[in-house]
Structure formats: structure tokens, C-alpha cells
């Protein structure tokens, strides 16, 4: 059976690397940081949170040839900075009038039909505003780890002809149902490996590069520029600023080349998926 790297035109033992700058649209700092990571750094893709207060600003500034996906969002985890559903769906609101703060709260109260309408609305708004999305991801993995919500995610990926950024086989085993296998069976492409950089980004990313295995690996960062806005609302602000520093370090391209990795984006995966539909 042909591997994903072979379908992309590479040798079977190739190590392909997608570096993502996540959460544009959530804050101005994250939007500016994500764009900087793509344009001045090593990031090859990014994601936009369409319910975020800065989502229109983000989409308006993304160029047509840049690789960005939609980060389907059903949670607003920050204590003092809120965003909510585009559809005003009752089951997707908490007592503060925004999305639930935790995934557990979402799973306890969300109606699957309202989840489906909300996710479609987020993708439709991105398209209406001019974003040619290259893939879908799910904020806090809320749509990945429960079968009834993963069904929604998978259906939307099929409808839109978009790859899914999913976690790897270990997360599939933890979830207790084969979400990666279900995606593959429906012709939806997902990268082979996933890593989220959290804390100590430089050392963490260096370890990822040292231990890359054949296949397509996605490494997700959450870069942000240094700004009082994000310092005031996000406890992880310092780590996010460090993410941007790592991604824009001038020595990083040489370090990536030294690891044997080859950089790609999600657009190539989208092209393969659509060519088989």
C-alpha cells in the first residue's frame, strides 16, 4: 500500500515536516505572531480560529498563496477573554455567554446537531471572507476524542475535500475508537505523526527534529508577538512569545536541513485528497 510520502512524490523513507503556527484570529498578538512565523520564520502553514475577535483581521491579511487552515473552535478556555459560537447555539454557550472553557464541559452539554451547524458556519465564514483553506484542525482536540463529535469533523472534511490534522496512533488508542482509520477509510488524508510544542519550545523542537521518523510529521506552535494584550489574558503568553522566537531564529533552517527533514505545507495533501475524490 502506497504511503503518504510516496503519494506526495517522495521516497518511502523520507521525513517530511509541516510546521504550523496556530490560533490566528484569537488575539491580535497571536494573529501578528502567526503571520510573522509564516512570512519571516520556518512555519509552513497556520490555522485561523473563526469565532475569534481578530478572525476577520487575520483572514484579510492572509495572502492567496499562503497555506492556512480552519481551526474549528468550540471552546474558549481563557478566563477573562471570551468568544462564542457564530450560530448562538444554546448548547455551545456557558454561563458567561461564550463557549465552554473546558472540553469536558463541552462534551457534557453540546448537542451534536448544533455542533455540526456551528462547524459548518465557521468554515463557510472563512470561505466567504476569502480564505482558501488547506486543511481542518480542532481546537483542544475537542472534535477528535469523542465518536459523536468526530463524526461531525469527518463529515465536514469529506464535504469540503480537506485533510484533517489529527493526533497520532497513541492518541487514537487513548480515545478508544479508531478515528485515524475512519478518516483513511473515507479517503480523508491525515499526516502520519503530530507533535504539539508546549513549554521549552527550543529544546522540545530540537528533540522532535532529532527523533523524526519516516512519514509526514506536523509540529504545532502557538506563536504570538510580545504585547500587553496577551500578557493580560493568557497565562501561557511568555511561552507563546518564545514559540515565535524559535520559529524566527535565523539558525533554524540549517537545523531543520541537518535533521534530514524536508518542509511542506498542507496544500499538497489537499491536492492529493481532491484528486482521488
Amino acid at each position: 500500500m502506497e504511503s503518504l510520502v510516496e503519494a506526495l512524490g517522495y521516497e518511502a523513507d523520507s521525513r517530511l515536516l509541516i510546521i504550523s503556527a496556530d490560533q490566528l484570529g484569537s488575539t491580535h498578538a497571536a494573529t501578528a505572531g502567526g503571520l510573522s512565523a509564516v512570512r519571516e520564520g520556518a512555519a509552513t502553514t497556520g490555522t485561523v480560529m473563526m469565532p475569534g475577535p481578530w478572525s476577520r483581521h487575520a483572514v484579510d491579511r492572509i495572502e492567496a498563496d499562503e497555506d492556512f487552515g480552519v481551526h474549528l473552535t468550540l471552546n474558549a478556555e481563557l478566563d477573562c477573554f471570551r468568544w462564542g459560537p457564530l450560530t448562538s447555539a444554546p448548547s455551545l454557550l456557558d454561563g458567561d455567554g461564550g463557549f465552554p472553557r473546558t472540553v469536558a464541559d463541552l462534551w457534557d452539554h453540546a448537542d451534536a446537531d448544533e455542533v455540526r451547524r456551528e462547524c459548518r458556519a465557521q468554515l463557510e465564514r472563512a470561505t466567504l471572507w476569502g480564505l482558501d483553506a488547506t486543511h481542518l484542525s480542532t481546537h483542544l482536540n475537542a472534535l477528535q476524542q469523542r465518536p459523536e463529535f468526530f463524526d461531525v469533523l469527518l463529515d465536514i472534511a469529506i464535504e469540503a475535500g480537506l485533510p484533517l490534522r489529527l493526533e497520532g496512533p497513541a492518541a487514537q488508542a487513548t480515545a478508544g475508537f479508531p478515528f485515524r482509520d475512519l478518516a483513511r477509510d473515507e479517503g480523508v488524508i491525515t499526516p502520519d505523526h503530530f507533535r504539539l510544542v508546549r513549554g521549552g519550545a527550543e529544546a522540545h523542537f530540537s528533540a522532535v527534529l532529532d527523533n523524526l521518523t519516516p512519514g509526514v510529521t506536523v509540529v504545532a506552535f502557538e506563536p504570538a508577538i510580545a504585547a500587553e494584550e496577551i500578557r493580560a489574558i493568557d497565562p501561557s503568553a511568555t511561552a507563546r512569545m518564545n514559540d515565535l522566537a524559535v520559529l524566527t531564529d535565523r539558525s533554524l533552517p540549517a537545523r531543520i536541513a541537518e535533521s534530514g527533514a524536508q518542509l511542506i505545507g498542507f496544500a499538497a495533501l489537499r491536492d492529493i485528497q481532491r484528486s482521488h475524490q
Side-chain angles (χ1 to χ4, degrees):
M1 186 175 180
E2 188 178 49
S3 67
L4 179 54
V5 292
E6 290 172 305
L8 289 164
Y10 296 85
E11 297 295 325
D13 61 351
S14 297
R15 289 167 288 175
L16 306 183
L17 184 62
I18 298 173
I19 301 176
S20 183
D22 281 2
Q23 299 190 17
L24 278 78
S26 57
T27 62
H28 177 266
T31 301
L35 290 172
S36 178
V38 168
R39 294 171 180 171
E40 302 160 23
T44 60
T45 191
T47 62
V48 183
M49 298 172 67
M50 295 310 300
W54 287 87
S55 58
R56 183 61 186 259
H57 177 84
V59 173
D60 282 352
R61 281 153 182 77
I62 291 171
E63 300 293 338
D65 61 345
E66 291 178 324
D67 188 312
F68 281 89
V70 173
H71 198 54
L72 295 172
T73 300
L74 299 173
N75 288 96
E77 68 275 21
L78 299 176
D79 282 343
C80 298
F81 192 72
R82 315 293 292 139
W83 49 78
L86 305 185
T87 56
S88 301
S91 76
L92 302 181
L93 291 166
D94 71 359
D96 285 343
F99 283 121
R101 286 183 172 83
T102 69
V103 173
D105 190 23
L106 172 75
W107 288 345
D108 283 345
H109 299 102
D111 175 83
D113 289 336
E114 291 188 351
V115 168
R116 187 180 301 274
R117 284 193 292 273
E118 175 62 25
C119 290
R120 281 181 173 148
Q122 292 181 22
L123 182 55
E124 287 168 1
R125 175 170 286 188
T127 303
L128 177 66
W129 286 353
L131 180 66
D132 184 18
T134 58
H135 64 289
L136 298 174
S137 56
T138 168
H139 187 48
L140 305 183
N141 294 318
L143 290 164
Q144 176 190 276
Q145 299 296 101
R146 289 283 289 267
E148 62 270 34
F149 297 120
F150 183 74
D151 286 346
V152 172
L153 179 62
L154 183 56
D155 285 348
I156 292 173
I158 294 168
E159 292 168 5
L162 292 175
L164 287 176
R165 192 184 89 186
L166 300 174
E167 290 187 296
Q172 176 171 275
T174 300
F177 73 100
F179 56 79
R180 293 180 58 85
D181 301 334
L182 292 169
R184 183 193 62 226
D185 291 347
E186 293 293 338
V188 173
I189 290 177
T190 186
D192 302 295
H193 316 291
F194 175 79
R195 302 287 184 273
L196 175 62
V197 172
R198 279 183 173 165
E202 185 173 6
H204 190 175
F205 190 36
S206 183
V208 169
L209 291 175
D210 287 340
N211 293 282
L212 283 176
T213 54
V216 178
T217 299
V218 178
V219 183
F221 292 78
E222 298 174 356
I225 62 169
E228 290 307 311
E229 169 209 31
I230 198 162
R231 287 192 179 99
I233 63 176
D234 190 343
S236 65
T238 299
R240 299 188 66 174
M241 295 171 200
N242 189 48
D243 279 5
L244 180 58
V246 169
L247 288 175
T248 54
D249 187 326
R250 293 183 179 180
S251 69
L252 185 57
R255 177 71 179 89
I256 292 170
E258 180 184 295
S259 76
Q262 301 179 72
L263 294 175
I264 65 168
F266 266 100
L269 278 64
R270 180 187 63 181
D271 291 346
I272 292 174
Q273 181 170 321
R274 290 182 174 175
S275 72
H276 288 87
Q277 287 184 330

